[in-house]
Amino acid sequence: MPKLTNTLPLLSLLMVSCFNLGWNLKTANGQKTWCIVNPSTTHSELLVNLDYACSHVRCSQIQQGSSCFYPNTYHHHASFAMNLYYQFMGRHEEDCNFTNSALISLSDPSSGSCIYESGGNLEAYGKPYNKTYETWCVAKPATEDDMLQENINFSCNHVDCSPIQDGGSCFSPTTLMNHAAFAMNLYYQSTGRGSNSCEFRGTGLLVTTNPGYGNCTF
């Protein structure tokens, strides 16, 4: 089971000063943002997003032998491509929509030698602006299956994970990425949205878009 560390990355240290009663996070000029896939996105939607993004930006980094090929999953590849598109288009909220299958992240999704580009903060009409967000916790797109399972086990030892059990409102899609996101967020919310509550040994991301879908409430 994963243990939360007391060592905060630089971005987390920045976030500590921005929390307002543990619920809202206000971005300041210089706060970078990224675009990733919603963990509940279906396989077919991932393919559509991947094809669309790579028709507008160069996706060579996720080709076999390149720095972002592994893990070789559609979730990771689609997130990387969608983020390239989001950055290329200027980081407007509508650039990270992809038919409601994307999330804006305040945490860097980069993993190992795979660097997710970010040119800066969210923009409005061509210039940066401050904005207050609600926040949720999900897993990095590049998180390996064994770590996703550990995050589920850890979180579900502390919170009620019945919605991701068979027959529960968040059981489908039945992927570790979806189930981990639900469990990790429930832990994050139940512990007061503290700066360490979405750490998960470096695999957690704070996002500003509600990952909930259908009858599944985050």
Side-chain angles (χ1 to χ4, degrees):
M1 294 185 293
K3 295 182 179 179
L4 304 179
T5 74
N6 291 322
T7 303
L8 292 175
L10 180 61
L11 181 59
S12 295
L13 288 173
L14 175 62
M15 289 177 177
V16 172
S17 65
C18 297
F19 275 102
N20 177 15
L21 301 179
W23 175 250
N24 291 328
L25 186 66
K26 186 178 179 73
T27 61
N29 290 346
Q31 167 72 66
K32 293 183 177 181
T33 57
W34 294 263
C35 182
I36 63 170
V37 173
N38 190 317
S40 65
T41 305
T42 64
H43 179 77
S44 59
E45 289 174 319
L46 289 173
L47 289 177
V48 170
N49 292 352
L50 184 58
D51 289 343
Y52 179 81
C54 291
S55 69
H56 291 80
V57 295
R58 188 167 178 261
C59 294
S60 58
Q61 297 97 320
I62 56 175
Q63 301 303 311
Q64 188 166 6
S66 297
S67 58
C68 295
F69 178 69
Y70 291 106
N72 183 18
T73 65
Y74 285 118
H75 195 100
H76 168 51
H77 288 179
S79 289
F80 184 86
M82 291 161 63
N83 180 66
L84 279 181
Y85 174 85
Y86 169 69
Q87 304 297 334
F88 175 76
M89 296 298 291
R91 296 178 305 281
H92 307 103
E93 284 184 294
E94 60 269 24
D95 300 325
C96 185
N97 183 276
F98 291 90
T99 319
N100 298 317
S101 64
L103 308 173
I104 292 176
S105 175
L106 298 176
S107 309
D108 189 351
S110 300
S111 180
S113 61
C114 179
I115 305 302
Y116 276 61
E117 177 185 332
S118 179
N121 64 334
L122 194 69
E123 302 221 359
Y125 304 107
K127 61 181 180 180
Y129 70 114
N130 295 337
K131 186 168 183 176
T132 301
Y133 291 103
E134 293 181 3
T135 53
W136 292 263
C137 180
V138 299
K140 281 187 178 181
T143 307
E144 300 281 1
D145 284 354
D146 58 346
M147 191 64 202
L148 291 174
Q149 186 62 62
E150 289 187 14
N151 290 352
I152 293 171
N153 294 342
F154 175 83
S155 299
C156 293
N157 280 335
H158 296 83
V159 295
D160 176 17
C161 289
S162 57
I164 58 174
Q165 302 301 315
D166 193 0
S169 58
C170 300
F171 180 65
S172 295
T174 54
T175 63
L176 286 174
M177 186 63 72
N178 180 48
H179 289 181
F182 179 86
M184 292 165 66
N185 180 67
L186 196 57
Y187 176 84
Y188 169 67
Q189 304 296 336
S190 69
T191 53
R193 297 170 296 280
S195 57
N196 265 348
S197 299
C198 189
E199 171 61 21
F200 292 96
R201 290 200 291 183
T203 64
L205 298 178
L206 285 179
V207 299
T208 66
T209 315
N210 191 336
Y213 57 96
N215 294 324
C216 178
T217 301
F218 273 62

